[in-house]
């Protein structure tokens, strides 16, 4: 019991430390990883018929997807944002359906989709990350003036 709580506290502290120093790109990576983890947990809870655990894990997965949706910046690529927003809506629908029907195949689809998105996100070059940061900084400076 104590070991499990210790591990949870360590994970929480580790994530907090990572977020404290994270670039916006890294924050999105962590959110995507969170979706994958919570969805996989939800799948396990469904397989074990743990209704309470399933509800908590899938609720968190949906909330994280909503956070990803909220982070979309339409100014740079409105079409991509529209596509991602539609995909995020679809994933939230799959999670809701899986929760009601106890269908792990729906969660497997969410995991597959998120892995595809995260894989593409992870391949963004350092140069492009720096350019994005610079553009974000310049935009914030212009708004402040």
């Amino acid at each position: 019991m104590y070991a499990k709580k210790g591990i949870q506290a360590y994970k929480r502290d580790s994530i907090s430390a990572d977020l404290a120093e994270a670039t916006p790109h890294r924050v999105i990576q962590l959110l995507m990883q969170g979706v994958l983890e919570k969805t996989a947990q939800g799948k396990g809870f469904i397989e074990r018929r743990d209704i309470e655990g399933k509800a908590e894990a899938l609720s968190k997965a949906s909330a994280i997807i909503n956070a990803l949706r909220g982070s979309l910046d339409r100014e740079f690529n409105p079409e991509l944002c529209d596509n991602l927003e539609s995909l995020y809506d679809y994933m939230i629908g799959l999670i809701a359906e899986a929760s009601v029907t106890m269908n792990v195949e729906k969660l497997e689809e969410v995991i597959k989709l998120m892995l595809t998105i995260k894989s593409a996100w992870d391949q963004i070059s350092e140069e492009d990350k720096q350019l994005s940061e610079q553009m974000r900084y310049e935009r914030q400076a212009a708004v402040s003036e």
Side-chain angles (χ1 to χ4, degrees), residues 2-145:
Y2 291 113
K4 185 175 180 181
K5 286 186 179 188
I7 291 170
Q8 290 172 343
Y10 171 77
K11 284 182 182 178
R12 208 173 25 253
D13 290 345
S14 178
I15 290 170
S16 294
D18 204 3
L19 281 173
E21 298 178 12
T23 64
H25 182 271
R26 180 69 179 135
V27 170
I28 298 300
Q29 283 180 315
L30 291 170
L31 289 171
M32 290 177 182
Q33 186 62 39
V35 170
L36 292 169
E37 289 172 6
K38 293 301 176 187
T39 305
Q41 288 173 3
K43 180 182 170 192
F45 287 129
I46 286 174
E47 290 170 343
R48 291 186 300 280
R49 299 287 190 220
D50 180 341
I51 304 302
E52 185 178 329
K54 171 209 61 145
E56 183 178 339
L58 296 183
S59 176
K60 286 180 181 179
S62 292
I64 297 169
I65 292 171
N66 277 323
L68 286 167
R69 182 181 11 204
S71 73
L72 295 173
D73 188 348
R74 295 191 181 303
E75 188 172 319
F76 292 111
N77 191 333
E79 183 180 350
L80 176 62
C81 289
D82 288 344
N83 291 339
L84 282 171
E85 187 166 26
S86 294
L87 192 54
Y88 291 153
D89 286 341
Y90 176 68
M91 293 166 72
I92 289 171
L94 287 173
I95 290 171
E97 189 176 341
S99 184
V100 171
T101 62
M102 303 288 281
N103 184 341
V104 296
E105 290 174 7
K106 302 291 181 188
L107 297 180
E108 290 168 357
E109 185 173 355
V110 171
I111 291 169
K112 180 180 173 185
L113 290 168
M114 185 54 67
L115 282 171
T116 301
I117 297 167
K118 187 175 182 309
S119 174
W121 187 259
D122 291 345
Q123 292 179 28
I124 294 174
S125 71
E126 282 302 315
E127 182 180 319
D128 286 339
K129 290 178 206 175
Q130 290 173 359
L131 179 61
S132 174
E133 280 296 303
Q134 180 182 351
M135 292 170 68
R136 190 172 66 82
Y137 175 77
E138 290 171 359
R139 188 175 53 187
Q140 287 176 342
V143 169
S144 298
E145 294 177 352

